[in-house]
Amino acid sequence: MKRFRRHGQESQRERLKQELFQFNKTVEHGFPHQPSALGYSPSLQLLAIGTRSGAIKLYGAPGVEFMGLHDENAAVTQVHFLPQQVELVTLLDDNSLHMWTLKAHKGLSELLEIGRFTLTGPPGALPSVTRVTAVLAHSSGELLLLGTEGGHVFIVEVPGFRELEERNISLDQVASSVPDDYVCRRNLEHVEALQENPVNPSQVVIGYGRGLMVVWDLKKQRAIQHIPGTQQLESVWWTEDGGYLLSSHNDGSYGRWLVGSKDVDEENEKSDIPYGHFPCKAISKIVQLPTEEGPPFLLFSGGMPRASYGDRHCITVIHGKTHVALDFTSRIIDFFAIRGGPQHTGDPSALVVLVEEELVVIDLQTQGWPVIQTPYLVPLHSSAITCSHHVSAIPLKLWERVLAAGNVQSTHYSKKPWPITGGQNLAPDPPQRDLLLTGHEDGTVRFWDASGVCLYPLYKLSTAGVFHTDADPNDNMNQGTEGEWPPFRKVGCFDPYSDDPRLGVQKIHLCKYSGYLTVAGTAGQILVLELNDEAAEQKVEAKVVDLLQGQEGFRWKGHTQLDVREEPVLFPPGFQPFALVQCQPPAVVTALTLHSEWKLVAFGTSHGFGLYDYQQKNNVLVKCTLNPSDQLAMEGPLSRVKSIKKSLRQSFRRIRRSRVSLRKHHVNNAAKLQEANARLEAELAEMELAPVQRKIEARSSDDSFTGLVRTIYFADTFLSDSSHNTPSLWAGTNGGCVFAYMLRLPAAERRADEPVTAQPAKEIQLMHRAPVVGILVLDGHGAPLPEPLEVAHDLARSPDMQGSHHLVVISEEQFKVFGLPKVSAKMKLKLTAMDGSRVRRVGVAWFGSNRAEDYGESGLVVLTNQGDVHVVSLPAVKMQVHYPCVRREDVSGIASCVFTKHGQGFYLISPSEFERFSLSARCLVEPRCLVEVPHHTDPSTPRRPLLDGPSSRITKQESEDAESAARRVMEHALLNDEQVLQEIQKSLEGDQTSFLENNVKNTVA
């Protein structure tokens, strides 16, 4: 009977787990890594980006996002939308073509691959014959023209990818029609460009690598004009009136050719080298767009003087007398212009440029052509990300103040709305406001709106102003000197170069209730900041903390501390520093926390930890955790290569000693043999050469970095006895040691005068000496203690102080629960002994049921070195679920992971992208969007029919004929038989074809 009851309880628990936990990778935030192709659909208002890893990403209005991944591990080289349709074609560098569509399913659109195709040439043909170099999606929406390396043009019917062999344009056909006096007629080279005549869809221009351009009539299947360019061709553009062709070349020149019925001479070309007659780089793409009133816009990429500015990445915009060379931060991938008007044929409104590290959108309608702030695709890595911190459920007042501070920084952006508006965002409004804070190598902290699908930038805080750095504050990169030629203008925000690596932000902690923020850096600096709505000039004094506590025999070999400015500094509105703690030695800060109710900041480095009272600006506690053998801790990060060599050498020496001792002693001495084996296994485990060990062995106390502080935690709990709770500070080290200090805080009225004191209360040494990565105190109900000020703001219930509290110590290898105040071990969960994995990141989360609104559970969320995420129950520390999340080889991705309070997480999948995932069945942030087939509302621009070719689709004319035939039959049937009235009514909502068949039967009857 018991056995059956237990089984029933287990099945009930399994059902409950399904209501609480569900793993999903939901959305990728940031900028795609290594973009390689750009596409745009004016009718859908969608942008497409292909990457070198084979991903294809579509973006529309904010919140409208789609992602697909090619099965082939090949780079996307071209992306082309089919005109007026929801299909697009991608070309990969393995020469395969892929058809994608946005298919509606349950009211939402999905990006699906529906076909793939590779050109096959005649038997025995060279690969170059079918190697695709240029793609043209014809305006009929039914043809693809594929230019190849061998100089041929293949015509393929879509979406079925059927090659129309009788319509192919062979190189021989073109070469035979070329005038005899053309110097390059014997070797035209590859097809560089294909363009359609905007006013006559039966004409296309084929541009060959050597410079020849041929206007070809698709109906008559013959060349109607030859344009004999002799300079290496880069791109071709057909003007909107169909009267001229623009060609750009590899010598930095572009030409303008009249399109007519007769061949033109080279003298008829209007050629220009915009940046002088010195050798220039190639103009890789040229575009000319008309305006209703005034001169056209001319846009081209490249063309810079090779010797002087060959390293610049520029797009030149010329409109009348205005001439600007937009200087971008990285290599230009591609660009396009967005045009106004209902049919997107009006004046150019925006220039969209994809460069290797960011997307830049220029407003072409506002004076000065300012940049439009991007709501997505923001380069998270504009300076390398060094740490992250997530804060859930931000109060409205703090949110508005951060937003206001960010608006002051955004005045240089255009006021125009985001111009890419395709699709409908059907996702519900986020239930709360969430912030993601990222720390960067240049000393900045960026605040992101992480509430929804778009990771939107709100505000940027710079900590560099507190210190003397090499940067010149008067150096304004955005302004070119008067009369400079070319007329450069710097655009984009990607700037990976840091003035000083010591500025790098390593730890962040924000209190959302008080508005206090603490930021710690690479050189042992800890700043305490408060939010101020006005600019303020103030001096920041440094309080030095000596973590060595006078220990002799140690000498710091790492970097020096940053020099603090002695004069007052003007800080803009936003977070402004008012206190600074400087650790000595100036090592990287490895742990940080802030308690805004007690006005205390605790911090730790590889040498020890300290407690700072930021109200009185005094040190409360300094504790050195350095082990006498921790020589590596004195070298700093700038001598890590030497440190790694040294540690490996020491490891191998210890292994050798272990083996020598085995040979010296008698093999039957079981105890010594076991001890030597244990040491050997511990060393191998340290080197991570044996991740599958099943037995947790005690680590040697002379391991390097045992004093490094991994975690630090404030708690109001029971330390001295079970009847009096007291504020406390807990710190866990790399050597498996936990220190607990009792804090005495003066009464509120005397808080500003009387000092805060700390006295040692407990010290726990874990037997296996594994690094302590997390500490947590549970109240009498087994719930985690609330955050500071959370109860005061009525956002959490008061912790239970009647029952006994428990201490949860999370080491890399196990979870252990102790009773307080006696610190007696209660229970534990071994992780390494079970599957060989180790805890790398840990957080506390609340999981709400997706069925019962009022039910939920707290749990520990854990990421291991194997890349798996686990949920561990509290207070029983039992494994609930585990899922594979990150590739185990992705060490930086695992190290960058940050968990939210509601069971979600973020980790870096590349330097510029966060992957967002969810473990909660209730809380899920994912794109929910719909893209509909564009409707043809303007009769002046009908969809162009297929050009005399076979088609699997009904053209517009045929569709209209079918509709009129159906209407005539309906009228005839109505006059002869009144019983068809109901069917007519149904037909208005249903399918006309089925109605037509039914009525033909009725009229015949």
Side-chain angles (χ1 to χ4, degrees):
M1 190 70 184
K2 278 185 180 179
R3 194 175 299 159
F4 282 111
R5 188 163 64 243
R6 188 182 303 158
H7 177 72
Q9 290 172 349
E10 286 178 0
S11 61
Q12 185 180 353
R13 180 62 193 168
E14 288 302 317
R15 283 197 301 271
L16 192 56
K17 283 182 187 178
Q18 292 176 5
E19 296 173 12
L20 293 170
F21 312 117
Q22 182 181 330
F23 179 75
N24 289 287
K25 289 187 178 181
T26 55
V27 66
E28 293 176 2
H29 297 300
F31 184 77
H33 186 50
Q34 295 182 324
S36 54
L38 177 68
Y40 178 66
S41 170
S43 58
L44 295 177
Q45 283 277 288
L46 289 181
L47 164 86
I49 294 177
T51 72
R52 286 191 216 169
S53 60
I56 177 81
K57 299 189 177 188
L58 271 60
Y59 300 91
V64 176
E65 296 184 13
F66 302 94
M67 180 184 166
L69 190 63
H70 294 88
D71 294 335
E72 296 82 359
N73 188 19
V76 180
T77 55
Q78 295 187 44
V79 180
H80 299 273
F81 283 91
L82 299 190
Q84 305 294 327
Q85 295 176 47
V86 290
E87 282 85 30
L88 67 152
V89 174
T90 55
L91 173 66
L92 307 189
D93 68 354
D94 65 358
N95 206 40
S96 61
L97 287 154
H98 300 255
M99 178 71 71
W100 298 80
T101 187
L102 289 167
K103 187 176 181 181
H105 177 66
K106 295 183 179 178
L108 299 174
S109 294
E110 299 174 322
L111 182 62
L112 300 173
E113 184 178 355
I114 56 172
R116 63 186 67 189
F117 172 73
T118 302
L119 271 180
T120 54
L126 293 172
S128 62
V129 171
T130 55
R131 180 79 187 173
V132 179
T133 54
V135 178
L136 171 63
H138 194 268
S139 59
S140 65
E142 298 171 2
L143 295 179
L144 279 182
L145 278 71
L146 308 175
T148 66
E149 200 173 285
H152 307 283
V153 177
F154 293 83
I155 299 182
V156 176
E157 192 179 53
V158 287
F161 281 132
R162 186 168 70 89
E163 186 182 336
L164 305 178
E165 294 183 16
E166 70 279 3
R167 298 202 160 274
N168 289 346
I169 307 167
S170 71
L171 181 62
D172 295 337
Q173 284 177 276
V174 175
S176 63
S177 66
V178 175
D180 293 338
D181 57 349
Y182 180 60
V183 293
C184 302
R185 68 186 301 268
R186 294 186 181 279
N187 183 14
L188 300 179
E189 290 192 358
H190 62 282
V191 177
E192 182 67 54
L194 287 167
Q195 283 283 323
E196 180 182 339
N197 188 336
V199 296
N200 185 354
S202 65
Q203 292 181 2
V204 294
V205 63
I206 307 167
Y208 290 93
R210 289 295 288 271
L212 176 71
M213 288 166 281
V214 178
V215 179
W216 187 269
D217 192 307
L218 292 170
K219 280 185 179 178
K220 298 174 183 175
Q221 296 193 36
R222 65 182 179 86
I224 57 175
Q225 185 178 358
H226 298 84
I227 301 173
T230 54
Q231 193 63 41
Q232 190 80 25
L233 187 69
E234 292 288 328
S235 77
V236 174
W237 180 261
W238 209 320
T239 59
E240 194 172 69
D241 59 4
Y244 290 92
L245 281 170
L246 297 180
S247 61
S248 68
H249 303 275
N250 76 337
D251 64 346
S253 68
Y254 68 88
R256 181 181 174 89
W257 310 82
L258 180 67
V259 178
S261 57
K262 297 180 180 179
D263 290 348
V264 294
D265 297 326
E266 220 172 322
E267 288 76 33
N268 295 344
E269 174 202 13
K270 182 189 175 187
S271 182
D272 188 18
I273 302 179
Y275 292 114
H277 292 280
F278 291 107
C280 291
K281 297 195 75 174
I283 293 180
S284 55
K285 182 175 179 178
I286 189 163
V287 172
Q288 181 177 299
L289 296 170
T291 56
E292 288 184 15
E293 301 173 3
F297 274 89
L298 181 68
L299 309 102
F300 59 86
S301 57
M304 287 291 122
R306 191 176 292 275
S308 309
Y309 303 109
D311 58 343
R312 301 284 185 109
H313 312 286
C314 294
I315 288 180
T316 299
V317 184
I318 302 172
H319 181 235
K321 293 183 179 179
T322 309
H323 183 136
V324 173
L326 300 170
D327 187 6
F328 291 89
T329 56
S330 51
R331 185 174 63 88
I332 295 165
I333 306 296
D334 201 354
F335 69 91
F336 64 84
I338 296 177
R339 302 177 66 179
Q343 296 300 313
H344 315 291
T345 55
D347 288 3
S349 59
L351 170 65
V352 180
V353 185
L354 176 68
V355 297
E356 205 160 40
E357 304 293 354
E358 61 184 317
L359 183 83
V360 181
V361 180
I362 310 289
D363 175 8
L364 296 177
Q365 293 184 329
T366 303
Q367 185 73 27
W369 297 337
V371 173
I372 300 175
Q373 171 74 65
T374 52
Y376 46 70
L377 290 171
V378 185
L380 306 175
H381 64 317
S382 49
S383 172
I385 294 176
T386 47
C387 67
S388 306
H389 176 65
H390 187 275
V391 190
S392 301
I394 303 293
L396 180 61
K397 188 175 181 181
L398 176 66
W399 186 267
E400 289 175 341
R401 293 178 71 191
V402 170
L403 215 58
N407 289 337
V408 173
Q409 299 175 339
S410 305
T411 52
H412 61 288
Y413 285 117
S414 168
K415 300 295 186 288
K416 288 285 174 68
W418 180 244
I420 300 169
T421 56
Q424 303 171 47
N425 179 14
L426 302 178
D429 291 335
Q432 59 190 27
R433 293 169 294 273
D434 291 350
L435 274 179
L436 180 68
L437 280 65
T438 53
H440 296 264
E441 196 177 47
D442 61 356
T444 58
V445 178
R446 294 165 200 257
F447 288 63
W448 307 88
D449 178 359
S451 317
V453 171
C454 292
L455 194 66
Y456 187 77
L458 298 179
Y459 165 71
K460 183 173 85 169
L461 161 71
S462 176
T463 61
V466 181
F467 308 100
H468 286 288
T469 62
D470 297 333
D472 181 2
N474 299 317
D475 181 20
N476 191 341
M477 296 285 287
N478 288 324
Q479 299 299 323
T481 54
E482 192 70 30
E484 181 187 20
W485 186 261
F488 290 118
R489 188 183 126 207
K490 206 84 169 151
V491 286
C493 59
F494 177 70
D495 182 15
Y497 306 108
S498 172
D499 298 320
D500 193 326
R502 296 174 297 173
L503 287 169
V505 176
Q506 297 296 329
K507 295 289 175 183
I508 307 168
H509 193 104
L510 170 68
C511 174
K512 61 187 177 185
Y513 303 111
S514 64
Y516 282 106
L517 171 71
T518 179
V519 176
T522 303
Q525 72 272 24
I526 298 114
L527 284 165
V528 189
L529 308 96
E530 62 180 335
L531 195 53
N532 190 348
D533 300 328
E534 303 293 333
E537 190 174 28
Q538 57 197 42
K539 184 180 176 183
V540 182
E541 292 184 5
K543 189 76 175 179
V544 178
V545 174
D546 179 16
L547 289 170
L548 292 182
Q549 292 289 284
Q551 289 203 32
E552 296 181 357
F554 291 102
R555 188 170 62 86
W556 173 248
K557 302 173 188 174
H559 49 249
T560 59
Q561 69 181 58
L562 285 160
D563 296 326
V564 183
R565 292 184 185 274
E566 296 179 358
E567 68 280 6
V569 180
L570 179 64
F571 295 105
F575 285 94
Q576 299 171 349
F578 66 92
L580 170 62
V581 179
Q582 178 61 58
C583 297
Q584 285 294 353
V588 173
V589 177
T590 55
L592 181 71
T593 188
L594 175 143
H595 201 296
S596 49
E597 200 169 351
W598 301 342
K599 303 285 194 296
L600 299 174
V601 168
F603 52 89
T605 72
S606 53
H607 307 121
F609 59 92
L611 182 63
Y612 177 74
D613 177 355
Y614 63 80
Q615 183 173 0
Q616 295 186 18
K617 298 186 179 179
N618 276 329
N619 296 329
V620 176
L621 161 71
V622 180
K623 167 69 176 175
C624 178
T625 56
L626 204 60
N627 191 290
S629 63
D630 271 359
Q631 289 299 325
L632 276 182
M634 302 306 295
E635 294 188 0
L638 302 184
S639 56
R640 287 302 304 275
V641 176
K642 188 169 67 177
S643 304
I644 290 167
K645 287 181 181 177
K646 184 178 176 183
S647 63
L648 283 172
R649 199 180 301 120
Q650 288 175 343
S651 298
F652 281 116
R653 279 175 182 165
R654 285 198 291 266
I655 292 170
R656 200 178 296 121
R657 281 201 299 269
S658 300
R659 288 171 176 165
V660 169
S661 65
L662 275 174
R663 285 197 294 269
K664 283 184 178 177
H665 294 82
H666 199 273
V667 288
N668 291 331
N669 192 334
K672 292 188 177 181
L673 177 65
Q674 190 175 359
E675 182 183 345
N677 274 331
R679 279 203 301 272
L680 182 61
E681 285 182 23
E683 289 303 328
L684 289 171
E686 178 188 327
M687 295 162 65
E688 301 225 53
L689 294 177
V692 293
Q693 70 170 63
R694 291 293 177 269
K695 190 176 181 183
I696 299 179
E697 297 289 354
R699 301 191 185 200
S700 170
S701 61
D702 63 352
D703 282 352
S704 298
F705 285 114
T706 54
L708 186 144
V709 179
R710 291 285 290 269
T711 184
I712 206 151
Y713 178 73
F714 284 114
D716 188 355
T717 186
F718 301 94
L719 270 182
S720 55
D721 57 64
S722 55
S723 55
H724 297 93
N725 58 298
T726 176
S728 62
L729 172 69
W730 302 76
T733 73
N734 225 27
C737 197
V738 178
F739 299 93
Y741 281 78
M742 227 162 26
L743 308 178
R744 192 193 70 81
L745 297 169
E749 61 273 10
R750 299 192 301 276
R751 176 66 181 83
D753 305 318
E754 292 187 13
V756 178
T757 59
Q759 63 183 66
K762 308 284 182 188
E763 187 173 329
I764 307 166
Q765 177 63 62
L766 300 179
M767 295 295 290
H768 55 291
R769 298 183 183 273
V772 177
V773 294
I775 297 172
L776 183 67
V777 172
L778 307 176
D779 69 7
H781 291 307
L785 296 181
E787 294 179 25
L789 295 174
E790 197 172 11
V791 175
H793 284 76
D794 296 326
L795 294 169
R797 62 179 178 83
S798 298
D800 177 32
M801 292 296 184
Q802 303 304 316
S804 57
H805 284 198
H806 289 89
L807 170 71
V808 183
V809 176
I810 303 113
S811 75
E812 279 191 357
E813 298 178 354
Q814 67 182 25
F815 308 83
K816 199 161 187 178
V817 180
F818 299 89
L820 289 176
K822 292 184 177 179
V823 195
S824 52
K826 297 290 185 184
M827 61 191 90
K828 64 183 172 183
L829 170 65
K830 294 182 178 180
L831 189 69
T832 308
M834 297 292 288
D835 60 8
S837 58
R838 293 184 176 178
V839 177
R840 285 288 179 259
R841 313 293 286 176
V842 65
V844 181
W846 170 259
F847 295 94
S849 168
N850 62 0
R851 293 204 173 186
E853 282 289 327
D854 56 346
Y855 183 77
E857 296 180 6
S858 286
L860 289 174
V861 193
V862 177
L863 178 66
T864 71
N865 64 336
Q866 307 289 323
D868 298 333
V869 282
H870 302 254
V871 178
V872 178
S873 65
L874 291 174
V877 290
K878 289 186 177 177
M879 193 68 71
Q880 298 301 299
V881 288
H882 71 277
Y883 308 97
C885 182
V886 191
R887 288 183 303 108
R888 61 179 294 177
E889 300 83 14
D890 187 4
V891 178
S892 59
I894 292 171
S896 66
C897 183
V898 58
F899 294 112
T900 78
K901 299 288 185 189
H902 294 89
Q904 297 186 58
F906 302 80
Y907 69 92
L908 287 171
I909 53 174
S910 75
S912 57
E913 291 171 288
F914 273 115
E915 174 81 70
R916 186 178 192 136
F917 63 90
S918 173
L919 291 162
S920 170
R922 184 191 290 182
C923 295
L924 199 64
V925 174
E926 61 180 350
R928 296 174 60 84
C929 34
L930 178 66
V931 175
E932 296 176 329
V933 181
H935 299 290
H936 312 294
T937 53
D938 186 359
S940 65
T941 56
R943 186 169 150 200
R944 289 163 173 165
L946 186 68
L947 306 170
D948 293 344
S951 173
S952 58
R953 300 186 179 186
I954 300 173
T955 61
K956 187 176 180 183
Q957 186 64 43
E958 290 168 347
S959 175
E960 289 173 356
D961 291 344
E963 288 176 19
S964 60
R967 202 174 297 115
R968 287 196 298 272
V969 174
M970 284 167 62
E971 292 170 358
H972 183 69
L974 183 60
L975 292 171
N976 286 276
D977 190 352
E978 293 182 358
Q979 291 180 355
V980 298
L981 281 171
Q982 291 181 343
E983 291 187 31
I984 294 173
Q985 183 64 35
K986 289 178 184 176
S987 74
L988 295 175
E989 303 169 357
D991 180 41
Q992 286 188 357
T993 308
S994 62
F995 178 71
L996 177 61
E997 293 171 357
N998 291 337
N999 280 290
V1000 168
K1001 290 175 186 176
N1002 289 337
T1003 52
V1004 171

